[in-house]
Amino acid sequence: MRSDFDHWKENQEIKYTNVPYIGSGHYMGDEGFYFRAKRDFFGLSLEQIRDSFPYNIDGYKFECVSISEFEMDDDRTWSESVGFTVYKDGKNVLK
């Protein structure tokens, strides 16, 4: 999730927005994206999100390629994430 830095400057406290982080990823040689949202995917389980794929929007096909659950070790945490690729006319749009 993204933090609201302007809120920090005024109030000296962290305020998270309900916007998932979206980053780039590589999935078995295919370029794609992932999103994560600090242990709360808007009230949906990872399985519900995975099972909702593929999405077809304006000729683009979004396919789920990975699901990662919340993990932590001694000093770090990794939020849940969903990896996906985007195709148009059968070709990855990032190639």
Side-chain angles (χ1 to χ4, degrees):
M1 297 181 79
R2 184 178 292 161
S3 61
D4 182 343
F5 187 66
D6 289 329
H7 181 81
W8 168 260
K9 289 191 292 188
E10 290 179 27
N11 302 294
Q12 274 64 54
E13 67 182 29
I14 296 173
K15 176 184 173 188
Y16 291 106
T17 62
N18 204 14
V19 176
Y21 175 83
I22 298 176
S24 61
H26 291 82
Y27 306 97
M28 298 189 342
D30 225 357
E31 295 183 63
F33 302 95
Y34 68 92
F35 67 89
R36 62 172 70 144
K38 281 285 186 205
R39 305 197 79 187
D40 179 17
F41 281 111
F42 313 107
L44 299 172
S45 70
L46 289 173
E47 291 78 18
Q48 288 172 308
I49 292 174
R50 180 196 62 220
D51 294 345
S52 70
F53 281 86
Y55 289 105
N56 292 292
I57 303 170
D58 295 332
Y60 293 90
K61 183 176 184 179
F62 297 78
E63 294 182 350
C64 179
V65 292
S66 75
I67 296 281
S68 298
E69 295 187 14
F70 178 80
E71 296 180 28
M72 65 184 208
D73 64 15
D74 295 332
D75 62 347
R76 296 181 288 181
T77 62
W78 292 269
S79 296
E80 297 93 330
S81 66
V82 175
F84 59 96
T85 54
V86 183
Y87 293 91
K88 183 165 183 149
D89 301 324
K91 296 179 183 175
N92 188 309
V93 298
L94 297 176
K95 288 188 176 185

